[in-house]
Amino acid sequence: MCYIGNLAIGTRMRAAAAFALVLGLAAPAQAADPIKLGFGMALTGGLAGNGKAALLALQIWAEDVNAKGGLLGRKVELVYYDDQSSPAAVPGIYTKLLEVDKVDLVVSGYATNQVAPAMPIVMQRGMVFLGLFALAINEQFNYPNYFDIQPTGPDGKVELSRGFFELAMAQEPKPQTVAIVAADAEFARVAAEGARENIKKSGLKIVYDKTYPPTTVDYSPVVRALMASGPDIVFAASYPPDTAGLVRAANEVGLKVKAFGGAMVGLQFAGLKTQLGPLLNGIVDFDYYVAEPTLNFPGIDAFVKRYQEKAAGAGVDPLGFYLPPFAYAEGQVLAQAVEATGGLDQAKLGDYIRKNTLHTIVGDIKFAANGEWATPRVLQIQYQNIKGNDLEQFKKPGTQVIVFPPEFKSGTYQYPYADIKR
Amino acid sequence: MLDLLANAVVSGLLLGGFYAAVTVGLSISFGMLDIVNIAHPAFVLLGSFIAYGANAAWGLDPIIAGIVFAPLFFLLGTGIHRVYDASFARRGEESLRGLAFFFGVLFITEVALVLAFGADYRLVETPYSSTSLALGFVGVPLRLLVPFLVSLAMITGIQFALDHSFLGRAIKAVAQDRLALRLMAADPVRVKEIAFALSIATTSVAGALLIVIAPVEPSLGRDYIGRVFAICVLGGMGSLQGTLLAGLIIGVAESVTATFYGPSWSPAVAFGVLLLVLAVRPAGLLGR
C-alpha cells in the first residue's frame, strides 16, 4: 500500500511535474511563436527575375532581424507562395495566407499587376499592406493602410518621366518634336500617359505615338517608322525583351535623335546591362538606385555587398540595385512600426507608418496621404563610358551617371544622343 | 517611302525565316504525326538556354552550339515519344490526355530552366550581333540575316532528307496510312518516334537562333505558341515548304504593318492573313 501509495504519490508528483513542465514550456513557446510575414511572389514566369531577387532581399532582412533577437522578442518567419507571375493566382494566395496560415503581417509581391488583385482581400481584413513597386495603385482603392515602397511620389506616372523631359528641354539646341513608343501593357501605358502630360507642359510636338504588342520579335520596323516621322527625341516605355530589341534596332538602324530612353524596364538589371554593353552609351533611363557616391544611404553598401554574395547561389540579378534594396526597406518599415507600437495591431501600425519618418537603407521615407512617398526621388541616369560587356564596371561609379534630380547629380548630361560614340 | 517599304519587306523576310525555323519541328510533329506538341516552344527555349550556357562556359557561338547539341535533343525527343506512346497513343487516349501531357512537359521544362539558369533574361552577344550590311538604302542586320540563312539551310536539309530517303518517305507516310507502312516492313511506332525526335532536334537550332535575335527567359515560349501553330496551319499541315512560305508571309505582314500602320496592328493583320487563306484554301497554302 505504502509502496502503492508512494508509487501513487510519485506518479501524481511526476504527472504534476510533467504538467508543470508542459505549462512551463507552453508559456514561453507561445511567447516565442514567430511573427509570420506573408506574401505571394513571382518565383516563376515573366516577373520571376525580380520576384526571386525581392525574395532574397526579404530573406536577408529576416536573417538580420532574427540575428538581433527578432521583433518584440519573437523570431520573424516568412510565409510565401509562388504567384507564377499570374495576377489570377494572387487573391487565392492572400486568402490562404490570412485565413489558413494566419499570418500576422502581409506585404505584396512584385509589382503593379500583382498588387492590385491582393488589395480587396487585405482591405476586407483591415491589414496594413506594403506594395512593392506598384505604380499608382491606390488611385482606385483609396485605402488608408496601403503604402507603396517605390520612390515615384504621389503622382508617379508623371514623375517617372519628368526628369527625362526637363533635362532635354534644358539643352541647346532645344528639341522641338518627340516620338513615343510604348509596349501595349499596363506599366508602359501608364508611363506613356505620364510622358504625354510632361510633353504638354514642355511644349514639345508629338510626331509619333504608337504602342506595340509585347510579343514583337523584331523592332527595326518600329524604329524606322518612328525615325521617318522626324522626332528630335524618342521616349520609350518598354519591358526587358522589347528594351533590348529597341536598343539593338536603334543601333542597327542608326537612330539619329537628340535624346533616347525614358521608361525602359530591363536596363536596371545586370543581364541587359552586360549583354548590351556599349550600345547603352547615351541612353537616359529612369532608375531608383545605382552605385554612385551621391546615393550613399546608411546601410545600403553593406546590404548590396551581402546580396551580391548570395545572388549567384540564388540565381538572381548579380547587381541587385533596382528592387532588392527596396524589398529590404519594406521589411525595415514594418519592423520599425511593430517595434514602435509594441504589437501587431493593424490600425496602430498603419497610423505609425502614416505619421512618422521611417529610416531605411534607401533613405528616409515619409508617406503621403495616398500611401506613395511624399517626396519623389526618381532618378534619371545616363549610361556613359561603358566599354565591353564586363559586369564589374557597373558595380563602380561612372557608367550609370545620375543626371537628374540635381540634388543627386553625379555627372554631366551628354547631349545629343546621336553624337555619343558607341 | 520606297526605302521604308523595302526595309520593311527585307526585315519581314528575315524575321519570317526565323519563324519558319521555330515552326518546322511543329510541322513535323503536329502536321505529319498529329501530335499536338504544345510544349514545342518550351523546347525552343531549352535550346536557347543550352546555347547560352555553352557560350558562357566555352565561348562557343550559339548557333554552332545549337547544331552540336541537336543530337542530344534528338535523344530527348525519343525518350518523350516513348513515354507518350506507351502512356497515351497505344491506349487511343492521345487526343485530350496527350495534350495535357504536353502541357505538363511545358511547365516542367519551364521550371527546370528557372532552377538551372534562374529567371533572368539572357542574351548572347556574337561578333555579328551589332553589325548591319547596307545594300543601297536597305539595311540588313546580321543578327537577323545569319539566323535566316541557318533556318533556310535547316529546312532545305530536312526536306531533302524526307524526299530522298526511305525513312523520310516512311515519315511522310506514317500519318496517312499506318497499315500500308507495316506492309512495307516498317514499324510505324519506330518511324513516328524518329520523326518526333527530329522535330525536337530542330528546337535546339531554333532556340540558338532565338537567343541571337532577342533576349529570352524561361517562360517566353508561351508567347510563341499561337504564332507557331498559326504558321504551321497557314503553310499546310506537314508541308515544310509551306511552313517556310507561311513564315515569310507572316514576317512580312507583321513588318510592313508595324512600319506603316503601327506595330499594335501586326498580330491582327498576321492572323487576318491566316483566316483569309484558310477561307480560300482550308488545307493551308501548300497543304493537300
Side-chain angles (χ1 to χ4, degrees), chain A residues 113-187:
Chain A
N113 296 354
Q114 312 303 95
V115 178
M119 287 293 279
I121 316 285
V122 296
M123 284 168 69
Q124 242 175 13
R125 291 154 182 85
M127 300 293 289
V128 164
F129 194 46
L130 299 190
L132 189 59
F133 283 25
L135 195 57
I137 277 291
N138 220 13
E139 269 182 22
Q140 278 84 37
F141 294 101
N142 294 314
Y143 180 49
N145 276 354
Y146 169 82
F147 306 96
D148 185 24
I149 305 294
Q150 177 176 235
T152 44
D155 194 3
K157 70 178 181 189
V158 172
E159 196 57 35
L160 200 67
S161 55
R162 184 170 66 89
F164 178 82
F165 291 105
E166 283 188 12
L167 273 170
M169 295 311 287
Q171 308 306 312
E172 288 299 335
K174 202 174 267 206
Q176 306 291 323
T177 52
V178 58
I180 301 174
V181 59
D184 194 2
E186 180 68 17
F187 166 80

Coordinates of all heavy atoms in Angstrom, one line a residue, chain A residues 113-187:
Chain A
N113 N 0.8 44.8 -61.3 CA -0.2 43.8 -61.7 C -0.5 42.8 -60.6 O -1.6 42.2 -60.6 CB 0.3 43.0 -63.0 CG 0.4 43.9 -64.2 OD1 0.1 45.1 -64.1 ND2 1.0 43.4 -65.2
Q114 N 0.5 42.6 -59.7 CA 0.2 41.6 -58.7 C -0.3 42.2 -57.4 O -0.9 41.6 -56.6 CB 1.6 40.9 -58.3 CG 2.4 40.3 -59.5 CD 1.6 39.4 -60.3 OE1 1.0 39.8 -61.3 NE2 1.6 38.1 -60.0
V115 N -0.1 43.5 -57.3 CA -0.6 44.2 -56.1 C -2.1 44.5 -56.1 O -2.8 44.2 -55.2 CB 0.2 45.6 -55.9 CG1 -0.4 46.3 -54.7 CG2 1.6 45.3 -55.7
A116 N -2.6 44.9 -57.3 CA -4.0 45.2 -57.5 C -4.9 44.1 -57.0 O -5.9 44.3 -56.3 CB -4.3 45.7 -58.9
P117 N -4.7 42.8 -57.5 CA -5.7 41.8 -57.1 C -5.6 41.4 -55.6 O -6.5 40.8 -55.1 CB -5.3 40.6 -58.0 CG -4.0 40.9 -58.6 CD -3.7 42.3 -58.5
A118 N -4.5 41.8 -54.9 CA -4.4 41.5 -53.5 C -5.2 42.5 -52.6 O -5.6 42.2 -51.5 CB -3.0 41.4 -53.0
M119 N -5.4 43.7 -53.2 CA -5.9 44.8 -52.4 C -7.3 44.5 -51.8 O -7.5 44.7 -50.6 CB -6.0 46.1 -53.3 CG -4.7 46.7 -53.6 SD -3.9 47.4 -52.1 CE -4.8 49.0 -52.0
P120 N -8.3 44.0 -52.6 CA -9.6 43.8 -51.9 C -9.5 42.8 -50.8 O -10.2 43.0 -49.8 CB -10.4 43.2 -53.1 CG -9.8 43.6 -54.3 CD -8.3 43.7 -54.0
I121 N -8.6 41.8 -50.8 CA -8.5 40.8 -49.8 C -8.0 41.4 -48.5 O -8.5 41.2 -47.4 CB -7.6 39.6 -50.2 CG1 -7.9 39.2 -51.6 CG2 -7.6 38.5 -49.2 CD1 -9.1 38.4 -51.9
V122 N -6.9 42.2 -48.6 CA -6.3 42.8 -47.4 C -7.1 43.9 -46.9 O -7.2 44.1 -45.7 CB -4.8 43.2 -47.7 CG1 -3.9 42.1 -48.0 CG2 -4.7 44.3 -48.8
M123 N -7.8 44.6 -47.8 CA -8.7 45.7 -47.3 C -9.9 45.2 -46.5 O -10.2 45.8 -45.5 CB -9.2 46.5 -48.5 CG -8.2 47.4 -49.2 SD -8.7 48.1 -50.7 CE -10.1 49.1 -50.3
Q124 N -10.4 44.0 -46.9 CA -11.5 43.4 -46.2 C -11.2 43.2 -44.7 O -12.0 43.2 -43.8 CB -11.9 42.1 -46.9 CG -13.2 42.0 -47.4 CD -13.4 40.7 -48.2 OE1 -12.6 39.8 -48.1 NE2 -14.5 40.7 -48.9
R125 N -9.9 42.8 -44.5 CA -9.5 42.4 -43.2 C -8.7 43.5 -42.5 O -8.1 43.3 -41.4 CB -8.6 41.2 -43.3 CG -9.4 39.9 -43.7 CD -8.5 38.9 -44.4 NE -9.3 37.7 -44.8 CZ -10.0 37.7 -45.9 NH1 -10.0 38.7 -46.8 NH2 -10.6 36.6 -46.2
G126 N -8.7 44.7 -43.1 CA -8.1 45.9 -42.5 C -6.6 45.8 -42.2 O -6.0 46.4 -41.3
M127 N -5.9 44.9 -43.1 CA -4.5 44.7 -42.9 C -3.7 45.9 -43.4 O -4.0 46.5 -44.4 CB -4.0 43.5 -43.6 CG -4.6 42.2 -43.1 SD -4.2 41.7 -41.4 CE -2.5 41.2 -41.6
V128 N -2.6 46.2 -42.7 CA -1.6 47.1 -43.3 C -1.0 46.4 -44.5 O -0.6 45.2 -44.4 CB -0.5 47.5 -42.3 CG1 0.7 48.1 -43.0 CG2 -1.1 48.4 -41.3
F129 N -0.8 47.1 -45.7 CA -0.3 46.4 -46.9 C 0.7 47.3 -47.5 O 0.5 48.4 -47.9 CB -1.5 46.2 -47.8 CG -1.2 45.2 -48.9 CD1 -0.5 44.0 -48.7 CD2 -1.5 45.5 -50.2 CE1 -0.2 43.1 -49.7 CE2 -1.3 44.6 -51.3 CZ -0.6 43.4 -51.0
L130 N 1.9 46.7 -47.6 CA 3.0 47.5 -48.3 C 3.1 46.9 -49.7 O 3.4 45.7 -49.9 CB 4.3 47.3 -47.5 CG 4.4 47.8 -46.1 CD1 5.8 47.7 -45.6 CD2 3.9 49.2 -45.9
G131 N 3.0 47.8 -50.7 CA 3.2 47.4 -52.1 C 4.6 47.6 -52.5 O 5.3 48.5 -52.0
L132 N 5.0 46.7 -53.4 CA 6.4 46.8 -53.8 C 6.4 47.1 -55.3 O 6.0 46.4 -56.2 CB 7.1 45.4 -53.6 CG 8.6 45.3 -53.9 CD1 9.3 46.3 -53.0 CD2 9.1 43.9 -53.7
F133 N 6.8 48.4 -55.6 CA 6.9 48.9 -57.0 C 5.5 48.8 -57.7 O 5.4 48.3 -58.8 CB 8.0 48.2 -57.7 CG 9.3 48.6 -57.4 CD1 9.6 49.2 -56.2 CD2 10.4 48.5 -58.3 CE1 10.9 49.6 -55.8 CE2 11.7 48.9 -58.0 CZ 11.9 49.4 -56.8
A134 N 4.5 49.3 -57.1 CA 3.2 49.3 -57.7 C 2.8 50.7 -58.1 O 2.7 51.6 -57.2 CB 2.1 48.7 -56.7
L135 N 2.7 50.9 -59.4 CA 2.5 52.3 -59.9 C 1.1 52.7 -59.7 O 0.2 52.2 -60.3 CB 3.0 52.4 -61.3 CG 3.2 53.7 -61.9 CD1 4.2 54.5 -61.1 CD2 3.6 53.6 -63.4
A136 N 0.9 53.8 -58.9 CA -0.4 54.5 -58.7 C -1.6 53.5 -58.5 O -2.7 53.8 -58.9 CB -0.7 55.3 -60.0
I137 N -1.4 52.5 -57.7 CA -2.4 51.5 -57.4 C -3.6 52.1 -56.5 O -4.7 51.9 -56.7 CB -1.8 50.3 -56.6 CG1 -1.2 49.3 -57.5 CG2 -2.8 49.6 -55.7 CD1 -2.2 48.6 -58.4
N138 N -3.2 53.0 -55.5 CA -4.2 53.5 -54.6 C -5.1 54.5 -55.2 O -6.0 55.0 -54.5 CB -3.5 54.0 -53.3 CG -4.3 53.6 -52.1 OD1 -5.2 52.7 -52.1 ND2 -4.0 54.2 -51.0
E139 N -4.9 54.9 -56.4 CA -5.8 55.9 -57.1 C -7.2 55.3 -57.2 O -8.2 56.0 -57.1 CB -5.3 56.1 -58.5 CG -4.4 57.3 -58.7 CD -4.0 57.6 -60.1 OE1 -4.7 57.2 -61.0 OE2 -2.9 58.2 -60.3
Q140 N -7.3 54.0 -57.4 CA -8.6 53.3 -57.5 C -9.1 52.9 -56.1 O -10.3 53.0 -55.8 CB -8.5 52.0 -58.3 CG -8.5 52.3 -59.8 CD -7.2 52.6 -60.4 OE1 -6.2 52.1 -59.9 NE2 -7.1 53.5 -61.3
F141 N -8.2 52.5 -55.2 CA -8.7 51.9 -53.9 C -8.8 52.9 -52.8 O -9.7 52.7 -51.9 CB -7.7 50.8 -53.5 CG -7.7 49.6 -54.4 CD1 -6.7 49.4 -55.3 CD2 -8.7 48.7 -54.4 CE1 -6.7 48.4 -56.2 CE2 -8.7 47.6 -55.3 CZ -7.7 47.4 -56.2
N142 N -8.0 53.9 -52.8 CA -8.0 54.9 -51.7 C -8.0 54.2 -50.3 O -8.8 54.6 -49.4 CB -9.3 55.8 -51.8 CG -9.2 56.7 -53.0 OD1 -8.1 57.3 -53.3 ND2 -10.2 56.7 -53.8
Y143 N -7.1 53.3 -50.1 CA -7.1 52.5 -48.8 C -6.0 53.2 -47.9 O -4.9 53.3 -48.3 CB -6.7 51.1 -49.2 CG -6.6 50.2 -48.0 CD1 -7.6 50.1 -47.0 CD2 -5.5 49.3 -47.8 CE1 -7.5 49.3 -45.9 CE2 -5.4 48.5 -46.7 CZ -6.4 48.5 -45.8 OH -6.3 47.6 -44.7
P144 N -6.5 53.6 -46.7 CA -5.5 54.4 -45.9 C -4.3 53.6 -45.4 O -3.3 54.1 -45.0 CB -6.4 54.9 -44.7 CG -7.6 54.0 -44.8 CD -7.8 53.6 -46.2
N145 N -4.5 52.2 -45.3 CA -3.4 51.4 -44.7 C -2.5 50.8 -45.8 O -1.8 49.8 -45.6 CB -4.0 50.3 -43.9 CG -4.2 50.8 -42.5 OD1 -3.9 51.9 -42.1 ND2 -4.9 49.9 -41.6
Y146 N -2.6 51.4 -47.0 CA -1.7 51.0 -48.1 C -0.5 51.9 -48.2 O -0.7 53.2 -48.2 CB -2.5 51.0 -49.4 CG -1.5 50.8 -50.6 CD1 -1.1 49.5 -51.0 CD2 -1.1 51.9 -51.4 CE1 -0.2 49.3 -52.1 CE2 -0.2 51.7 -52.5 CZ 0.2 50.4 -52.8 OH 1.0 50.3 -53.8
F147 N 0.7 51.4 -48.4 CA 1.9 52.2 -48.5 C 2.8 51.6 -49.6 O 3.0 50.3 -49.6 CB 2.7 52.2 -47.2 CG 1.8 52.7 -46.1 CD1 1.2 51.8 -45.2 CD2 1.6 54.1 -45.8 CE1 0.4 52.2 -44.2 CE2 0.8 54.5 -44.8 CZ 0.2 53.6 -44.0
D148 N 3.2 52.4 -50.5 CA 4.0 51.9 -51.7 C 5.5 52.1 -51.4 O 5.9 53.2 -51.1 CB 3.6 52.6 -52.9 CG 4.2 52.0 -54.2 OD1 4.6 50.8 -54.1 OD2 4.3 52.7 -55.2
I149 N 6.2 51.0 -51.6 CA 7.7 51.1 -51.4 C 8.2 51.3 -52.9 O 8.6 50.4 -53.5 CB 8.3 49.9 -50.8 CG1 7.6 49.6 -49.4 CG2 9.8 50.0 -50.6 CD1 7.9 50.7 -48.4
Q150 N 8.2 52.5 -53.3 CA 8.8 52.9 -54.6 C 8.8 54.5 -54.6 O 7.8 55.1 -54.3 CB 7.8 52.5 -55.7 CG 8.2 52.9 -57.1 CD 7.3 52.3 -58.2 OE1 7.8 51.7 -59.1 NE2 6.0 52.5 -58.1
P151 N 10.0 55.0 -55.0 CA 10.1 56.5 -54.8 C 9.5 57.3 -55.9 O 10.1 58.3 -56.3 CB 11.6 56.6 -54.8 CG 12.2 55.5 -55.6 CD 11.2 54.4 -55.5
T152 N 8.4 56.9 -56.5 CA 7.8 57.7 -57.6 C 7.0 58.9 -57.1 O 6.6 59.8 -57.9 CB 6.9 56.8 -58.5 OG1 6.1 56.0 -57.6 CG2 7.8 55.9 -59.4
G153 N 6.7 58.9 -55.8 CA 5.9 60.0 -55.2 C 4.4 60.0 -55.5 O 3.9 59.0 -56.1
P154 N 3.7 61.0 -55.0 CA 2.2 61.0 -55.1 C 1.7 60.9 -56.5 O 0.6 60.4 -56.8 CB 1.8 62.3 -54.4 CG 3.0 62.7 -53.6 CD 4.2 62.2 -54.3
D155 N 2.4 61.5 -57.5 CA 2.0 61.4 -58.9 C 3.0 60.7 -59.7 O 3.7 61.2 -60.6 CB 1.8 62.9 -59.4 CG 1.0 62.9 -60.7 OD1 0.5 61.9 -61.1 OD2 0.9 64.0 -61.2
G156 N 3.0 59.4 -59.5 CA 4.1 58.5 -60.0 C 4.2 58.5 -61.5 O 5.3 58.6 -62.1
K157 N 3.0 58.5 -62.2 CA 3.1 58.3 -63.6 C 3.7 59.5 -64.3 O 4.4 59.4 -65.3 CB 1.8 58.0 -64.2 CG 0.7 59.0 -64.2 CD -0.5 58.5 -64.9 CE -1.6 59.6 -64.9 NZ -2.9 59.2 -65.4
V158 N 3.5 60.7 -63.7 CA 4.1 61.9 -64.3 C 5.6 62.0 -63.9 O 6.5 62.3 -64.7 CB 3.4 63.2 -63.9 CG1 4.1 64.4 -64.3 CG2 2.0 63.1 -64.4
E159 N 5.8 61.7 -62.6 CA 7.2 61.8 -62.0 C 8.2 60.9 -62.8 O 9.4 61.2 -62.9 CB 7.1 61.4 -60.6 CG 8.3 61.8 -59.7 CD 8.6 63.3 -59.8 OE1 7.6 64.1 -59.9 OE2 9.8 63.7 -59.8
L160 N 7.7 59.7 -63.2 CA 8.6 58.8 -63.8 C 9.4 59.3 -65.0 O 10.6 59.0 -65.2 CB 7.8 57.6 -64.3 CG 8.5 56.3 -64.5 CD1 9.0 55.7 -63.2 CD2 7.6 55.2 -65.2
S161 N 8.8 60.2 -65.8 CA 9.5 60.8 -67.0 C 9.7 62.3 -66.9 O 10.3 62.8 -67.8 CB 8.6 60.5 -68.2 OG 7.3 61.0 -68.0
R162 N 9.4 62.9 -65.7 CA 9.6 64.3 -65.6 C 11.0 64.7 -65.9 O 11.3 65.6 -66.7 CB 9.2 64.8 -64.2 CG 9.2 66.3 -64.0 CD 8.6 66.7 -62.7 NE 9.3 66.2 -61.5 CZ 10.2 66.9 -60.9 NH1 10.7 68.0 -61.3 NH2 10.8 66.3 -59.8
G163 N 12.0 64.0 -65.3 CA 13.4 64.3 -65.4 C 13.9 64.2 -66.9 O 14.7 65.0 -67.3
F164 N 13.4 63.2 -67.5 CA 13.8 62.9 -68.9 C 13.5 64.1 -69.8 O 14.4 64.6 -70.6 CB 13.1 61.7 -69.4 CG 13.4 61.3 -70.9 CD1 14.5 60.6 -71.2 CD2 12.5 61.7 -71.9 CE1 14.8 60.3 -72.5 CE2 12.8 61.4 -73.2 CZ 14.0 60.7 -73.5
F165 N 12.3 64.7 -69.6 CA 11.9 65.8 -70.5 C 12.5 67.1 -70.0 O 12.9 68.0 -70.8 CB 10.4 65.9 -70.5 CG 9.8 64.8 -71.3 CD1 9.1 63.7 -70.7 CD2 9.9 64.7 -72.7 CE1 8.6 62.7 -71.4 CE2 9.4 63.7 -73.4 CZ 8.7 62.6 -72.8
E166 N 12.6 67.3 -68.7 CA 13.2 68.6 -68.1 C 14.7 68.7 -68.6 O 15.1 69.8 -69.0 CB 13.1 68.6 -66.6 CG 11.7 69.0 -66.2 CD 11.6 69.2 -64.7 OE1 12.7 69.4 -64.0 OE2 10.5 69.3 -64.2
L167 N 15.4 67.5 -68.5 CA 16.8 67.5 -69.0 C 16.9 67.9 -70.5 O 17.7 68.8 -70.8 CB 17.4 66.1 -68.8 CG 18.0 65.8 -67.5 CD1 18.2 64.3 -67.5 CD2 19.2 66.5 -67.3
A168 N 16.1 67.3 -71.3 CA 16.2 67.5 -72.7 C 15.8 69.0 -73.1 O 16.5 69.6 -73.9 CB 15.2 66.6 -73.5
M169 N 14.8 69.5 -72.3 CA 14.4 70.9 -72.7 C 15.4 71.9 -72.2 O 15.3 73.1 -72.6 CB 13.0 71.2 -72.0 CG 11.9 70.3 -72.6 SD 11.8 70.3 -74.4 CE 11.2 72.0 -74.7
A170 N 16.3 71.5 -71.3 CA 17.3 72.5 -70.8 C 18.5 72.5 -71.7 O 19.5 73.3 -71.4 CB 17.7 72.1 -69.4
Q171 N 18.5 71.7 -72.8 CA 19.7 71.7 -73.6 C 19.6 72.6 -74.8 O 18.5 73.1 -75.2 CB 19.9 70.2 -74.2 CG 19.9 69.2 -73.1 CD 20.9 69.4 -72.0 OE1 22.1 69.7 -72.3 NE2 20.5 69.3 -70.7
E172 N 20.7 72.9 -75.4 CA 20.8 73.7 -76.7 C 21.4 72.9 -77.8 O 22.5 72.3 -77.5 CB 21.5 75.0 -76.4 CG 20.8 76.1 -75.6 CD 19.5 76.5 -76.2 OE1 19.3 76.5 -77.4 OE2 18.6 77.0 -75.4
P173 N 20.9 72.8 -79.0 CA 19.6 73.3 -79.4 C 18.5 72.5 -78.8 O 18.5 71.3 -78.6 CB 19.6 73.1 -80.9 CG 20.6 72.0 -81.1 CD 21.6 72.0 -80.0
K174 N 17.4 73.3 -78.4 CA 16.3 72.7 -77.7 C 15.5 71.8 -78.6 O 15.3 72.2 -79.8 CB 15.4 73.9 -77.3 CG 14.5 73.6 -76.1 CD 13.8 74.8 -75.7 CE 14.5 75.5 -74.6 NZ 13.8 76.3 -73.7
P175 N 15.1 70.6 -78.2 CA 14.3 69.8 -79.1 C 12.9 70.3 -79.3 O 12.4 71.1 -78.4 CB 14.2 68.4 -78.3 CG 14.5 68.8 -76.9 CD 15.3 70.0 -76.9
Q176 N 12.3 70.0 -80.5 CA 11.0 70.6 -80.8 C 10.0 69.4 -80.9 O 8.8 69.7 -80.7 CB 11.1 71.3 -82.2 CG 12.1 72.3 -82.3 CD 11.8 73.5 -81.5 OE1 10.6 73.9 -81.4 NE2 12.8 74.2 -80.9
T177 N 10.4 68.3 -81.3 CA 9.5 67.2 -81.6 C 9.8 65.9 -80.8 O 11.0 65.7 -80.4 CB 9.4 66.8 -83.1 OG1 10.8 66.6 -83.5 CG2 8.9 68.0 -83.9
V178 N 8.8 65.1 -80.6 CA 9.1 63.9 -79.8 C 8.3 62.7 -80.4 O 7.2 62.9 -80.9 CB 8.7 64.1 -78.3 CG1 7.2 64.5 -78.1 CG2 8.9 62.9 -77.4
A179 N 8.9 61.5 -80.3 CA 8.2 60.3 -80.6 C 8.0 59.5 -79.3 O 8.9 59.4 -78.5 CB 9.0 59.5 -81.6
I180 N 6.8 58.9 -79.2 CA 6.5 58.0 -78.1 C 6.3 56.6 -78.6 O 5.5 56.4 -79.5 CB 5.2 58.4 -77.3 CG1 5.4 59.9 -76.8 CG2 4.9 57.5 -76.1 CD1 4.1 60.4 -76.2
V181 N 7.0 55.6 -78.1 CA 6.8 54.2 -78.4 C 6.7 53.5 -77.1 O 7.5 53.6 -76.2 CB 7.9 53.7 -79.4 CG1 9.3 53.8 -78.7 CG2 7.6 52.3 -79.8
A182 N 5.6 52.7 -77.0 CA 5.3 52.0 -75.7 C 4.8 50.6 -75.9 O 4.0 50.4 -76.9 CB 4.3 52.9 -74.9
A183 N 5.1 49.8 -75.0 CA 4.6 48.4 -75.0 C 3.1 48.5 -74.7 O 2.6 49.3 -74.0 CB 5.3 47.5 -74.0
D184 N 2.3 47.5 -75.3 CA 0.9 47.5 -75.0 C 0.7 46.7 -73.8 O 0.2 45.6 -73.8 CB 0.2 46.9 -76.2 CG -1.3 47.1 -76.2 OD1 -1.8 47.8 -75.3 OD2 -2.0 46.6 -77.1
A185 N 1.0 47.3 -72.6 CA 0.9 46.6 -71.3 C 0.8 47.7 -70.3 O 1.2 48.8 -70.5 CB 2.1 45.7 -71.1
E186 N 0.3 47.2 -69.1 CA -0.1 48.2 -68.0 C 1.0 49.2 -67.7 O 0.7 50.4 -67.8 CB -0.4 47.4 -66.8 CG -0.9 48.2 -65.6 CD -2.2 48.9 -65.8 OE1 -3.0 48.5 -66.7 OE2 -2.5 49.8 -65.0
F187 N 2.1 48.8 -67.3 CA 3.1 49.8 -66.8 C 3.5 50.8 -67.9 O 3.6 52.0 -67.7 CB 4.4 49.1 -66.4 CG 5.6 50.0 -66.2 CD1 5.7 50.8 -65.1 CD2 6.5 50.1 -67.2 CE1 6.8 51.6 -64.9 CE2 7.6 51.0 -67.1 CZ 7.7 51.7 -65.9

